[in-house]
Amino acid sequence: MSEHDANARFLRESIVEPDSLARARAHAVELGAAPVSAAVGSQIAVLAAAAGARSIVEIGTGAGVSGLWLLRGAPQAVLTTIDNEPEHLAAARQAFADARVPSTRARLITGRASDVLPRMNESSYDIVLVDADPENVIEYVEHGLRLARVGGLVLVPRILAGGRVADPVQRDDVTSAYRSLVQATQESSAVLATVSPAGEGLLQLVRLDDQD
């Protein structure tokens, strides 16, 4: 086993999810909602806590796993989460209820993100998590940077695309979009950017200045 594989295995085995999160994860798998890994979940919880987040937008609800991790880190935050699958939103609503998240702290919106995001207030959110429609990831990150306050975070899980982003031979549209996003944000003066390789990868952006 390589050092990388050993580290990845250690991380997988060392993170303990609360029962409510474990149940939400099992339900997500049943629905085919592809939840974020515990390694990524624990990272976004820490980032939410460090940011003292009070207002969070999540693009792609799934069955509520990432939302629960975010609220675990920022239990006083209000989470606005968007998904176009009513079945996923119903599962997330149940997951939030099981975790005793007050209904006033989880606002679930049914709809396409491309329709909902333009109507949301600019520079109003501490964190924007982008985890839906990978073919539209660049558009959603642009929206996220518009919605995030200066100093706020835009987070993109799955950024390594299962190892495809690091393989120059892989040139499908989604992989190319993720690769372009990493390169563009590293070169941008508008954000501070880094990528964590834990789990499926997490792109972390801090908005540095006002957007045009």
Side-chain angles (χ1 to χ4, degrees), residues 4-15 35-44 47 156-163 194-204:
H4 173 78
D5 291 340
N7 289 340
R9 178 179 177 181
F10 174 78
L11 286 174
R12 284 196 305 269
E13 295 177 351
S14 65
I15 299 169
V36 298
S37 67
V40 165
S42 63
Q43 288 180 84
I44 64 176
L47 290 166
V156 186
R158 312 180 204 275
I159 192 66
L160 299 179
T194 191
V195 175
S196 166
E200 59 274 33
L202 180 68
L203 176 64
Q204 304 166 45

Side-chain angles (χ1 to χ4, degrees), residues 20-164:
S20 58
L21 255 164
R23 288 194 297 270
R25 179 176 300 283
H27 199 179
V29 171
E30 290 174 4
L31 291 175
V36 298
S37 67
V40 165
S42 63
Q43 288 180 84
I44 64 176
V46 167
L47 290 166
R54 293 283 180 162
S55 54
I56 301 173
V57 175
E58 179 183 44
I59 304 168
T61 309
V65 173
S66 50
L68 286 174
W69 273 114
L70 287 164
L71 291 172
R72 181 171 170 78
Q76 300 306 311
V78 173
L79 172 71
T80 300
T81 182
I82 306 162
D83 204 295
N84 64 353
E85 292 286 348
E87 188 177 17
H88 292 179
L89 288 166
R93 185 174 287 108
Q94 185 61 55
F96 295 151
D98 289 347
R100 299 185 179 178
V101 174
S103 59
T104 54
R105 299 213 176 276
R107 178 186 178 212
L108 286 74
I109 298 177
T110 306
R112 294 181 58 84
S114 57
D115 296 329
V116 175
L117 294 171
R119 302 197 299 268
M120 301 183 75
N121 293 332
E122 297 183 8
S123 304
S124 299
Y125 298 92
D126 300 308
I127 295 176
V128 180
L129 180 80
V130 178
D131 188 24
D133 306 330
E135 64 276 10
N136 297 321
V137 66
I138 293 176
E139 175 189 351
Y140 291 166
V141 168
E142 290 173 349
H143 277 298
L145 289 171
R146 180 181 61 82
L147 298 179
R149 61 172 175 80
V150 174
L153 291 161
V154 176
L155 306 175
V156 186
R158 312 180 204 275
I159 192 66
L160 299 179
R164 297 194 306 278

